[in-house]
Amino acid sequence: MRAARIALNLLCRPADVRGLCLRSIKRKFFTVLEVKKGPRDQTLAPADNLWTTARDGAVRLRMEERGPASEPPVTTLQMFQDTVQRFGNLPALAVKRDGQWQTTTYLQYHQQCRAAAKSFLKLGLERFHSVGILGFNSPEWFIAEIGAIMAGGFPFGIYTTSSSEACAYVAKNAGTNILVVEDHQQLEKILQIQSQLPHLKAIVQYGPELREKRPNLYTWKEFMQIGSDIPDSKLDDIIASQKANQCCLIVYTSGTTGPPKGVMLSHDNVTWFVKRYAEAAGVQDHEIGVSYMPLNHIAAQVWDIWVPICFGGTTYFANPDALRVSPVDILKEVRPTRFIAVPRIWEKIQGALEATESASSFIQKAISTWAKSIGLAASHNLINGIDSRPWGYSLADFLVLKKLKASVGLDRCPWCHTGAAPITEDTLEYFMPLNIPILQLYGMSECSGPITVCTLSEFRLSSCGKPIPGCRTKIHMPDKDGNGEVCLWGRSVFMGYLNMAEMTTEALDEEGWLHSGDIGKLDQDGFLTITGRIKELVITAGGENIPPVPIEEALKKEVPIISNTMVVGDKRKFLSMLITLKCIIDPVTLEPKDDLTPDVIQFCQQLGSHATCVSEVVRSKDPVIYKAIQEGLDRVNQRAVSRAQKVQKWTILEKDFSLDGGELGPTLKLKRPVILSRYEKVIDEFYKL
């Protein structure tokens, strides 16, 4: 679209002016790219452009003459082979089956991926076509992903919460030849839309045994054996033909603001980024991690699949309900050396710790309070570069801090990460005294994962950190306070959106910068802070652009019994807010229950309320709870920069938002269009005269 506009503008000018303009445009748009051309060798396919939307296309890498961006490109399969040679007999994967942990070495892992690749070829996987994977994290998920790449196809994940229609949309867009599903529930979704998928040739189920046999439907055991007659030489030729600047895998955006887009990531995007990110984050060889976040999300793939492959780590698989309930049980059993979680998971871990402390005696609570004050001072010394610990630290660590960390399985983590959504400073401050520094990071699928990272040596409490080596950030059109759109550059920036040229040119400008759609600012030291999102802006009837997230997070900080908040008021005269309270999650259905969590009940009792259920609070409009929320909101409103940014009306909903309910996305972000539609009548009540 941008090129078309430029061409149309040129055609409307006189011939002599057109010539000058063309020379000017060539200097403007092509000089930068010519200077940064990388070497052309056997690892790269011919390419002149930084982006493509063609499944068989190639891109020119953002290579530089020196520094991290000058590193020679390699494919993901070359990286995997190198790890097998170095760490072949070490454990790569661990999964609990029938109550026992079963491990797979890197050599076995690689062999199983090759077997899967041969089977994909046998079932008709075509070069530059895709394999869709619909299910929870498992060794089979990993093997299907890497096997699809080995066979010359593109793996992509489908969210387990997706409807049949959503599955059909991404499967058609990706030109899917084969779908891998976990169980009968996911299989039924595909069977409903099978006739809509012209490229589909086979379905593989890797979970429980098939309930009924159908044509072109295979169990995992059948699948892994079906390609045994494919010669090694044929597979080796396909692997050798793949180039580092060609597409390796596809990650579909979650569709919270529109139809999902297929983010094409090259081999170089993955391999170069993983090394740079892991080095910046301080990842060591043979780390132990837990796989529980949805693998459809790029952060989970980077953290669970590719970082371990690069550094010979071991990945343990959690139960399917870990994200929705809490991963504490698996953390206590595995005791990982690295861990990443979205803010809601950190809040749940915090809740587990607070529940443990609330059951303590008065003396134990007093000792815990003292120990955490010492721990907080020690953490501040650490992040401020002060090489000393306060008096009494060793005793505080022995009596309290080590035990608290061990109670949630994080006693072997020197640091942890959080991302995908804003996290409150209260949550960060809560974990710092426990010697669990939670380091924020920022990224997106379009840049292969986190591109800015906080480290122990470079840390700001409210910041997402600095760019990883070899990447850059800038703020596009900053306002008087320095806030503007965050733009990103580096070899991790994606190839383009599959079959979506217009969307691609909206995301990538003429010089190749990725426009994130997020609003942020950089401080004098280069630390990035995200302050909002362009597509989440609420534009009032008066025309004022208001980022809702800071308001929502501020109220949650003021009133700790609140679970979720959502500001509404687009094209309205004033802002209003939907509020949910923290409640217990049903361990079977994973639905939010009516019962309030113990910490909320304790909070209510301290204020003089006897409520134990959300329905009690809402139906009686519990004056104590409503007053506490209003007072918290008043404090937030007092800090508003304008009257338009003050929330004037609000209500408590009878049910919390959830993944299964459809109000939360896979990374637990609010799905604002869904909530707006579902609570349309409630919202309209705010604006009745």
Side-chain angles (χ1 to χ4, degrees), residues 2 53 156 178 295 375 393 397 498 507 553 562 649 652:
R2 189 175 283 109
T53 62
F156 71 94
I178 299 162
L295 287 166
Y393 176 82
D397 191 42
L498 180 64
E553 294 301 320
I562 291 176
K649 293 186 179 182
I652 301 175

Side-chain angles (χ1 to χ4, degrees), residues 126-147:
E126 302 171 62
R127 186 78 168 96
F128 304 116
H129 282 68
S130 71
V131 173
I133 312 171
L134 175 56
F136 185 70
N137 309 18
S138 68
E140 292 83 359
W141 213 110
F142 286 29
I143 292 164
E145 163 134 321
I146 299 173

Side-chain angles (χ1 to χ4, degrees), residues 526-541:
F527 283 88
L528 175 67
T529 300
I530 302 299
T531 56
R533 179 155 180 83
I534 292 173
K535 291 186 178 180
E536 287 181 346
L537 286 177
V538 174
I539 305 177
T540 65

Side-chain angles (χ1 to χ4, degrees), residues 302-369:
V302 165
W303 203 241
D304 297 352
I305 300 177
W306 299 111
V307 167
I309 283 179
C310 186
F311 290 85
T314 306
T315 300
Y316 285 75
F317 292 92
N319 292 324
D321 61 354
L323 181 65
R324 304 177 189 182
V325 182
S326 173
V328 167
D329 289 342
I330 185 71
L331 292 178
K332 289 167 65 176
E333 186 170 5
V334 173
R335 297 174 62 225
T337 60
R338 54 179 174 80
F339 183 65
I340 184 171
V342 297
R344 291 303 301 275
I345 293 297
W346 285 116
E347 291 171 8
K348 291 176 181 179
I349 295 174
Q350 179 180 347
L353 286 166
E354 289 174 338
T356 299
E357 291 185 280
S358 67
S360 303
S361 67
F362 174 79
I363 295 177
Q364 288 173 323
K365 288 179 181 177
I367 294 173
S368 178
T369 300

